[in-house]
Amino acid sequence: ELRAPALAELRHAVASFPRNRRYRELYAFALMCAGEKEALLEQAERLAAEVPDDHAAHFNLGQMFWRAGDPKRGRHHLDLSLRYAKSDEEKRDVAEQIATLERYCGA
């Protein structure tokens, strides 16, 4: 019963501060958890339009696109995340995320 109000609050934050990448990421992850694939895809596309060359940003986008039903774009961003990884731990995280997404969401 809290899902709709929480999504509304995050949607409002994104509308009020559209250039705040963190708010948009939080909203996208909430949409992902709620199974709102169409809205998730829209937010992922907006985030991808201005994505920094950064492990975490691409890691997040990879999950978003894959779970929104676009595994090809998801894999692309996870490959970029791997390229920008600065430690073995970050590289392992990418490999584990790819394996999980392939297992539960298909390739």
Side-chain angles (χ1 to χ4, degrees), residues 7-20 23-24:
L7 285 173
E9 277 296 314
L10 288 168
R11 186 172 36 255
H12 176 71
V14 168
S16 297
F17 304 97
R19 308 249 337 128
N20 186 312
Y23 289 169
R24 193 170 299 280

Side-chain angles (χ1 to χ4, degrees), residues 11 34 43 46 56 65 73 79 84 87 107:
R11 186 172 36 255
Q43 295 306 310
R46 289 178 182 222
F65 277 115
R73 285 172 76 184
D79 287 343
Y84 296 122
S87 69

Side-chain angles (χ1 to χ4, degrees), residues 26-62:
L26 289 170
Y27 181 45
F29 273 109
L31 291 167
M32 186 170 62
C33 292
E36 306 257 350
K37 289 183 176 186
E38 189 174 314
L40 170 58
L41 185 58
E42 178 185 334
Q43 295 306 310
E45 287 171 347
R46 289 178 182 222
L47 286 162
E50 297 183 34
V51 62
D53 294 337
D54 176 77
H55 161 75
H58 286 287
F59 186 79
N60 292 339
L61 278 171

Side-chain angles (χ1 to χ4, degrees), residues 58-93:
H58 286 287
F59 186 79
N60 292 339
L61 278 171
Q63 294 175 75
M64 291 173 197
F65 277 115
W66 207 313
R67 291 192 182 264
D70 193 341
K72 184 177 178 181
R73 285 172 76 184
R75 180 60 188 247
H76 168 74
H77 284 284
L78 288 167
D79 287 343
L80 288 171
S81 176
L82 187 60
R83 181 188 312 168
Y84 296 122
K86 293 181 177 153
S87 69
D88 288 340
E89 181 180 5
E90 288 180 345
K91 291 175 185 177
R92 275 192 307 274
D93 289 346

